[in-house]
Each structure stands twice: as C-alpha cells, then as structure tokens.
Amino acid sequence: MPRIRRSDVPGVYTDGERLYTENLVPGIAVYGERLVSQGDVEYRAWNPRRSKLAALLKKGPAVFPFGRRTEVLYLGAAQGTTVSHLSDICADGTVYAVEISRRAFQKLLALAERRHNLMPILGDADAPDGYARLLAPVDVLYQDVAQRDQVGIFRKNLPFLRPGGLGLLMVKARSADVTARPVDVYAAARRDLASAGLDVLQVAELDPYQEDHAAFLVETA
Ligand code: SAM
C-alpha cells in the first residue's frame, strides 16, 4: 500500500494516485468510502467519480479556496458526500449545508450529529430568504444543485459571500438544457456569471470523472 502524504493542496492528501482527507471522526465512514490508518491518523478516500470537488482536484484547480478555518455556504448538499470531505478540511470553520429534499436532509442531520462544524439547513436555494437569518458572511459559496436555472440560483446567494470571497459553481450541462451542446451551456453560464459582476477565474470540464459537468471558479470583483 503506497504511503499517504500531503498533496500540493492544503488539507488534501494523496498516495500518488488516490485522494484522501483526514477523518474528523475517526472510525466512521460516511458513504462506504475506504478508511486508511497510518500512524495515529486516519484518512478517508475521496473518489472523483462520487464528488465533483474531488474531480476538480484531479483536473487541477487554479485556486483551492478551502482551508482549516474556511466558512462555506454549500447549496445542494444531498446526503453529505462532498460536504463530509469539506468538513474534514475546514475543521475549524463552518459548512452551512442547504438541501431541499427531506429524505437527503435526514442523512445530513445524522452526519451533523458527529461533525461539530456542519450546520445542516433544510431549505430551497432558490429562495434564500428562508435561511438568510441562519448565516454569517462566508468565504466560499459552493453550489451543486443540478437544476435548470443553476446560474440564477447562484446569483441569488451571492449576497452571503464576503467581499473578496470565492465561488465554485458546478454546472450540469444536461440540467440546463438536455438538447444543447455542453460547450454552449458553459459559454452561456460564463457570460451570465460575468454579467453578475464576477471574475471567472477558471472553467474546468470534469470529464472523465463526471460526464457533462464543469466547475466554474469565480471571484467577486
Ligand atoms: N453536492 C452533492 C455531493 O457532491 O455530495 C451532490 C448533489 S446532487 C447532484 C444535487 C442535490 O441538490 C440534490 O440532493 C437535490 O435535492 C438538491 N437540490 C436541488 N434543487 C435544490 C434547491 N433549490 N435547493 C437546495 N437543494 C437543491
């Protein structure tokens, strides 16, 4: 078994091929991922086919905006697969995790019972007034909702981002328009983000890990 070591990205580890985060809750796997102990540290394998953020790491992000104390607003948390790795990385920060599906939210709630930095919110990212009172300004806005109006939802949540904060929008081309070519969907998303006053730092297509998905890394101007 190859040795796990720090990667070039703070908070992310590698054995040369696979990615890992340090388990905030040793002994507990979240979604059936492999746990690996080395010395007195336990790592959780992070699969780029299960998580778009891991896929972005494999592709090479221009900036990785997460660190130990980062405050994150995460829209479309589902059962918490990617959220759990962010909770590992942002160990002294907070991950506000918004999810609309009650069924997925139950799993998120159970996850938050063990993870002190995870704040689950049952809510609709398209109607952020419903959870605005629960939030403090965040360093990173992350969205993965796979909805038709992905950029519109992202824009509605920009007021939660502190000045100079960074955004990561995962765009699913087929959610925006099943008939359009992904390249055209990404070009339209880039235009919409720029017209919202954002600097688009990177557009990374996530194939082959996540087909027809792209990650948009943006900065408030
Ligand atoms: N981000 C998750 C991960 O990597 O572990 C996977 C997210 S899944 C592709 C999309 C999620 O967005 C679903 O759980 C869905 O219920 C949620 N979603 C869709 N529309 C939403 C909305 N308006 N507000 C909040 N969550 C939403």
Side-chain angles (χ1 to χ4, degrees):
M1 168 96 203
R3 231 187 128 63
I4 297 173
R5 57 183 191 278
R6 287 177 198 281
S7 74
D8 296 338
V9 175
V12 180
Y13 298 80
T14 182
D15 60 11
E17 187 191 338
R18 284 170 289 259
L19 300 173
Y20 299 85
T21 54
E22 183 177 337
N23 196 354
L24 190 68
V25 189
I28 310 276
V30 174
Y31 53 96
E33 74 282 13
R34 207 157 49 91
L35 303 180
V36 183
S37 290
Q38 204 173 265
D40 53 5
V41 179
E42 185 179 88
Y43 299 94
R44 300 170 55 228
W46 194 4
N47 184 342
R49 295 187 189 278
R50 299 284 301 269
S51 167
K52 283 153 217 140
L53 186 54
L56 176 62
L57 281 162
K58 292 295 269 185
K59 299 294 285 208
V63 183
F64 189 72
F66 306 99
R68 221 178 149 81
R69 273 179 284 280
T70 308
E71 302 279 308
V72 186
L73 172 56
Y74 191 115
L75 308 172
Q79 291 92 344
T81 300
T82 300
V83 160
S84 66
H85 289 286
L86 281 179
S87 154
D88 286 346
I89 294 168
C90 309
D92 299 325
T94 313
V95 183
Y96 299 96
V98 178
E99 174 52 49
I100 200 169
S101 150
R102 282 183 185 277
R103 203 186 172 99
F105 185 74
Q106 291 309 319
K107 295 249 174 81
L108 208 54
L109 262 185
L111 191 65
E113 277 170 21
R114 295 183 189 276
R115 291 178 170 263
H116 63 84
N117 58 356
L118 175 55
M119 158 86 96
I121 298 171
L122 180 63
D124 179 358
D126 201 21
D129 286 351
Y131 50 82
R133 70 185 191 292
L134 303 174
L135 301 181
V138 296
D139 305 305
V140 183
L141 172 63
Y142 184 107
Q143 179 180 303
D144 177 19
V145 296
Q147 286 291 314
R148 193 173 171 80
D149 187 17
Q150 297 162 89
V151 177
I153 293 173
F154 190 74
R155 289 176 66 155
K156 283 187 186 174
N157 285 273
L158 283 173
F160 299 119
L161 196 54
R162 68 159 171 78
L166 286 160
L168 246 180
L169 171 63
M170 301 300 179
V171 170
K172 181 176 180 182
R174 307 267 170 226
S175 289
D177 183 341
V178 277
T179 60
R181 292 186 310 155
V183 67
D184 295 330
V185 173
Y186 303 151
R190 182 192 268 274
R191 278 195 303 276
D192 289 352
L193 290 166
S195 71
L198 295 164
D199 289 334
V200 179
L201 305 179
Q202 185 183 18
V203 181
E205 296 194 23
L206 301 180
D207 321 57
Y209 307 105
Q210 304 271 343
E211 293 293 330
D212 295 336
H213 282 81
F216 288 69
L217 186 61
V218 302
E219 189 173 26
T220 48

